[in-house]
Amino acid sequence: MKVVVCVKQTPSTTATISVKDGAVSWEDPGGKPNVVNPWDEYAIEEAIRFKENRGASDAVALCMGDSSSEEALKTCLAMGCTEAVLVSDPALLGSDTLGTARTLAAAINKIGDVQVALFGRQAIDGDSGHTPVQVARVLGWTPLTYVSAIESVDGGSITVHRLTDDGKETVTAKLPVVISVVKEINEPRYPSFMGIRKASKAVIPNWSAGDIGASAAAARANWSNVYAVPPREGEIEMIAGDTVEEQARNLVNKLFEEKVI
Amino acid sequence: MSGVWVYVENRDGAISAISREALGAARQVADGLGQPLTALVFGQGVGPVCAAAFDLGADAVVGADDATLADGRLEAHGPLVVKLAQERQPAVILIGASTRGRDLAAWTAADLDTGAVADAIDIKVEGGVVKATRPVYTGKLLCEAYVTGTPQVVTLRGRAFAQAASTGKTGTPEMVAAAVAEDAIPTKITGFEGKGGKISLTDAGKIVSGGRGVGGPEGFEPLRELADVLGAALGASRATVDAGWIPYEHQVGQTGKTVAPDLYIAAGISGAIQHQAGMRSSKVIVAINKDPDAPIFKLARYGIVGDLFKIVPALTAEFKKRLN
């Protein structure tokens, strides 16, 4: 069996993001404007562990995006994924989460023999977190979201821990499954020197929509009027006092006045 | 296509805070569209929750009371929302953006072949369309988002909308059967560990949060004491979680939780951009830090430059005096 990890290339977490005439662009002070979506790093690590410890034959990294997303896939290969596939087609630009889910599901079917598809819980640009469940619906697989640990995989079933707003749940499901992971699940490894060398030489297949039998559908969840968050109002007030006790008293007075206590 | 639906999350006979907010927001959407508001109440022993949904402003309640629905499994709740929507064709489905609500919105939209907008922090109705303001790029930008398919599925971020007020209204819920039998549900929940009465970060009205400045696991103790006095939840920066000083469930920020309390006290937190992403919509931010140049002071309403191990206990003592 194979595992697939679906990744997205996003602006780096430190990027300054701006909007001009409705177009979003970003710059990074560190000079690396794009990264693998930070949540996906945990999914990549888990996919590699499936290959190392749970008998998966391949850990395939899958990304839908423009050609610059090859960079994200090379990071996956450098970390230890065995294969990478880019689905890139101008026709797919502007897909909403359901459109993206249909494309990824078609690619997963083409990869074949996949029992587990892994995702980060959400991407730090779109921030919906809808894609993993929607991929599961399109494939007819069981979604297991917010997974913080994989307890066991055996005899065609999987047991995981889910970290939800209510608490921690232990859930068993039959394979195949789509899993979205949270940070607690593991500590992602750094790419090895050998891995980076291998990845730099890798030729990553580029599938078009036609190659996987996907078609572009109009997005039904739409964005308009993107704008920067207005700066927080008001200036900071530094709380003074001759003693720490007086400072504390002055601050507590302010907080009562603000009616937040 | 008519009617506004709101999914009412409940556990142990009580409506979750996020669904009280969703009921409040949904009432406004229903009034804006001039359509009735229907609450969906699924679970086990949901009688009191159905009654509460009427009281909180629903015109009608569709309830389902079944053991398969007790633990909030997506594979039980999703098919029922979808089945009802296929039969009755609502115009709008609103859901609180909890972990469960987010999954349910994604499921419902996929099965109904429509769009879903996540995490609205404000909504208005324009020409029959729900226009949601939502943060994107981890809160660095905002956008207006809307659905062109039907129904319009929108999730609402916690603590962004006022909770629905009690109306005194009563009514009789329409009870329906579960959509899927237990043996057709592909997941079994074999263990559950609740929060044991602890306030969850995403629901919290007040948060006391610690960063690298706390110095070690025991450094969270004074913060915990302050949080206890205030009835606040305990937060933490990524650095402290990565160092193993406090469990991940406390992490606020880009790879942790997004919170929006009335009061956020940041002690020993420098305020990296990734941390700000998780807490910048807090109403009043207090920063306590040794370093006067820490970026957190750019975001805060009140600041104290100094040693958190002196200031935090002094605050705890002062609050104790004032609150008793």
Short mmCIF file of all heavy atoms in Angstrom, two decimals, chain A residues 6 41 66 74 84 98 106 114 141 166 168 210 237:
data_model
loop_
_atom_site.label_atom_id
_atom_site.label_comp_id
_atom_site.label_asym_id
_atom_site.label_seq_id
_atom_site.Cartn_x
_atom_site.Cartn_y
_atom_site.Cartn_z
N CYS A 6 -0.61 15.26 0.85
CA CYS A 6 -0.97 16.40 0.01
C CYS A 6 -0.42 17.67 0.64
O CYS A 6 -0.66 17.93 1.82
CB CYS A 6 -2.48 16.51 -0.12
SG CYS A 6 -3.20 15.08 -0.94
N GLU A 41 4.09 20.09 7.21
CA GLU A 41 5.35 19.46 7.60
C GLU A 41 5.08 18.24 8.49
O GLU A 41 5.78 17.23 8.40
CB GLU A 41 6.24 20.45 8.36
CG GLU A 41 6.78 21.55 7.47
CD GLU A 41 7.69 22.49 8.25
OE1 GLU A 41 8.13 22.12 9.36
OE2 GLU A 41 7.94 23.59 7.74
N ASP A 66 1.00 26.07 -9.11
CA ASP A 66 1.74 26.44 -10.32
C ASP A 66 3.14 25.83 -10.27
O ASP A 66 3.50 25.16 -9.30
CB ASP A 66 1.77 27.96 -10.52
CG ASP A 66 2.48 28.67 -9.38
OD1 ASP A 66 3.24 28.02 -8.65
OD2 ASP A 66 2.24 29.88 -9.22
N LYS A 74 10.12 19.42 -3.73
CA LYS A 74 11.54 19.05 -3.53
C LYS A 74 11.85 18.98 -2.04
O LYS A 74 12.64 18.13 -1.61
CB LYS A 74 12.44 20.05 -4.24
CG LYS A 74 12.26 19.94 -5.76
CD LYS A 74 13.53 20.14 -6.54
CE LYS A 74 13.31 19.60 -7.95
NZ LYS A 74 14.41 19.84 -8.87
N ALA A 84 7.22 12.29 -5.95
CA ALA A 84 6.47 13.54 -5.87
C ALA A 84 5.74 13.75 -7.18
O ALA A 84 6.23 13.37 -8.24
CB ALA A 84 7.42 14.70 -5.61
N LEU A 98 -13.63 22.68 -2.83
CA LEU A 98 -14.24 21.49 -3.42
C LEU A 98 -13.60 21.16 -4.77
O LEU A 98 -13.35 19.99 -5.08
CB LEU A 98 -15.77 21.68 -3.55
CG LEU A 98 -16.58 20.46 -3.99
CD1 LEU A 98 -16.27 19.23 -3.14
CD2 LEU A 98 -18.08 20.78 -3.94
N ALA A 106 -8.77 12.89 -7.81
CA ALA A 106 -8.49 12.26 -9.11
C ALA A 106 -7.02 11.85 -9.20
O ALA A 106 -6.68 10.78 -9.70
CB ALA A 106 -8.84 13.23 -10.25
N VAL A 114 -3.56 3.48 -2.94
CA VAL A 114 -3.36 4.35 -1.77
C VAL A 114 -4.38 3.98 -0.69
O VAL A 114 -5.56 3.81 -0.98
CB VAL A 114 -3.53 5.84 -2.17
CG1 VAL A 114 -3.34 6.75 -0.95
CG2 VAL A 114 -2.57 6.21 -3.29
N TRP A 141 -13.94 7.85 1.07
CA TRP A 141 -13.14 7.34 2.18
C TRP A 141 -13.59 8.00 3.48
O TRP A 141 -14.35 8.95 3.48
CB TRP A 141 -11.65 7.64 1.96
CG TRP A 141 -11.04 7.00 0.75
CD1 TRP A 141 -11.68 6.27 -0.21
CD2 TRP A 141 -9.67 7.06 0.36
NE1 TRP A 141 -10.79 5.85 -1.17
CE2 TRP A 141 -9.54 6.33 -0.85
CE3 TRP A 141 -8.53 7.64 0.90
CZ2 TRP A 141 -8.32 6.19 -1.51
CZ3 TRP A 141 -7.32 7.50 0.24
CH2 TRP A 141 -7.21 6.78 -0.95
N ASP A 166 -13.66 19.68 21.93
CA ASP A 166 -14.29 19.08 23.11
C ASP A 166 -13.30 18.30 23.98
O ASP A 166 -13.54 18.11 25.16
CB ASP A 166 -15.40 18.09 22.68
CG ASP A 166 -16.56 18.81 22.04
OD1 ASP A 166 -16.87 19.92 22.48
OD2 ASP A 166 -17.14 18.26 21.08
N LYS A 168 -10.05 14.96 23.77
CA LYS A 168 -9.28 14.01 22.97
C LYS A 168 -10.09 12.75 22.78
O LYS A 168 -10.57 12.17 23.75
CB LYS A 168 -7.95 13.71 23.67
CG LYS A 168 -6.96 12.99 22.78
CD LYS A 168 -5.62 12.82 23.47
CE LYS A 168 -4.72 14.04 23.29
NZ LYS A 168 -3.36 13.84 23.83
N GLY A 210 -6.23 17.13 -17.67
CA GLY A 210 -6.60 16.06 -18.59
C GLY A 210 -5.95 14.73 -18.24
O GLY A 210 -6.57 13.67 -18.36
N GLU A 237 -0.53 52.21 26.45
CA GLU A 237 -0.33 53.01 27.65
C GLU A 237 0.57 52.21 28.58
O GLU A 237 0.22 51.11 29.01
CB GLU A 237 -1.69 53.29 28.29
CG GLU A 237 -1.61 54.22 29.48
CD GLU A 237 -3.00 54.53 30.04
OE1 GLU A 237 -4.00 54.42 29.30
OE2 GLU A 237 -3.06 54.86 31.23
#
